[in-house]
């Protein structure tokens, strides 16, 4: 929990405020923050806890924190961080998932192309219409052939691939499985940005989880830390160089280092 800094609290007072705001129990907060020995009676702890809680800075800090967390209209850093982390952690599989199932030749009889019955009837229909059109135009229809039904009509994309399939050799084919967006969990809803109709079908718009993680990192100052670390690296490098330069040069580099300037220029 990030505490307001302006109340000038001691570390123990800060620990007290943090614990109290989370659990709303002054005696527990006192025990956590001040670690009174077992010889201190419960009544004494309660009295001391009350004293700390009522003290000026602590009371104001508690009020500040509680105001921020209880008032839903205040969108503080903590809530923002939580929101970004929730998005970053949400499982995109809930929205859409890539699955691997059998190919058309895996379960076909004799590993021939396997149809769904509707598909086969439609294919036959197309050929018959083509033949009728050619006949009407007085053209030969001898090149036309009905689709081969040898593999059968029981194609089921959800079945597992077959290892000795001559077509996919057990690797199967991937298919994208969309989910019913009215049944999404609260976490998946965070990711869901609606659907867009495209030339290739429906596209599910999803929040960018990497971006969300970046935003969360920015809030906790992770990127600042990185800069601090690289600053420290430069200082360490300069310190290493110090050992190999003559004393006058070393003094100059050291002065530059103290001034926060890059050494060796
Ligand atoms: Zn196959």
């Amino acid at each position: 929990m990030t505490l307001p800094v302006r109340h000038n609290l001691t570390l123990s007072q800060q620990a007290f405020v943090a614990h109290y705001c989370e659990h709303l129990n002054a005696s527990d907060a006192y025990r956590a923050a001040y670690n009174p020995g077992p010889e201190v009676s419960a009544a004494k702890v309660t009295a001391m806890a009350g004293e700390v809680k009522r003290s000026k800075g602590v009371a104001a800090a508690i009020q500040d924190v509680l105001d921020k967390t209880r008032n839903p209209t205040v969108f503080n850093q903590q809530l923002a961080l939580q929101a970004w982390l929730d998005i970053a952690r949400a499982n995109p599989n809930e929205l859409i998932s890539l699955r691997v199932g059998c190919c058309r030749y895996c379960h076909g009889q004799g590993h021939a192309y396997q149809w769904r019955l509707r598909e086969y009837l439609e294919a036959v229909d197309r050929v018959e219409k083509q033949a009728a059109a050619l006949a009407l135009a007085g053209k030969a229809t001898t090149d036309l052939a009905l689709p081969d039904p040898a593999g059968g009509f029981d194609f089921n994309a959800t079945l597992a691939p077959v290892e000795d399939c001559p077509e996919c050799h057990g690797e199967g084919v991937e298919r994208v499985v969309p989910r019913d967006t009215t049944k999404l969990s609260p976490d998946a809803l965070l990711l869901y940005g609606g659907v867009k109709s495209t030339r290739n079908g429906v596209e599910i718009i999803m929040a960018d989880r990497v971006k969300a993680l970046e935003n969360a990192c920015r809030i906790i100052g992770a990127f600042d830390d990185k800069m601090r670390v690289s600053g420290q690296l430069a200082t360490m490098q300069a310190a290493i160089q110090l050992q190999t330069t003559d004393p006058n040069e070393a003094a100059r580099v050291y002065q530059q280092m103290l001034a926060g300037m890059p050494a060796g220029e």
Side-chain angles (χ1 to χ4, degrees), residues 102-107 111 161-162 165-172:
C102 60
C103 82
R104 292 285 180 159
Y105 302 87
C106 280
H107 298 283
H111 289 301
V162 169
C165 168
E167 184 71 18
C168 74
H169 306 285
E171 287 195 344

Side-chain angles (χ1 to χ4, degrees), residues 1 37 58 88 94 104 131 181 203 209-210 258:
M1 181 177 296
V58 170
E94 273 204 57
R104 292 285 180 159
T181 54
E203 188 185 299
R209 295 167 66 227
V210 175
L258 287 184

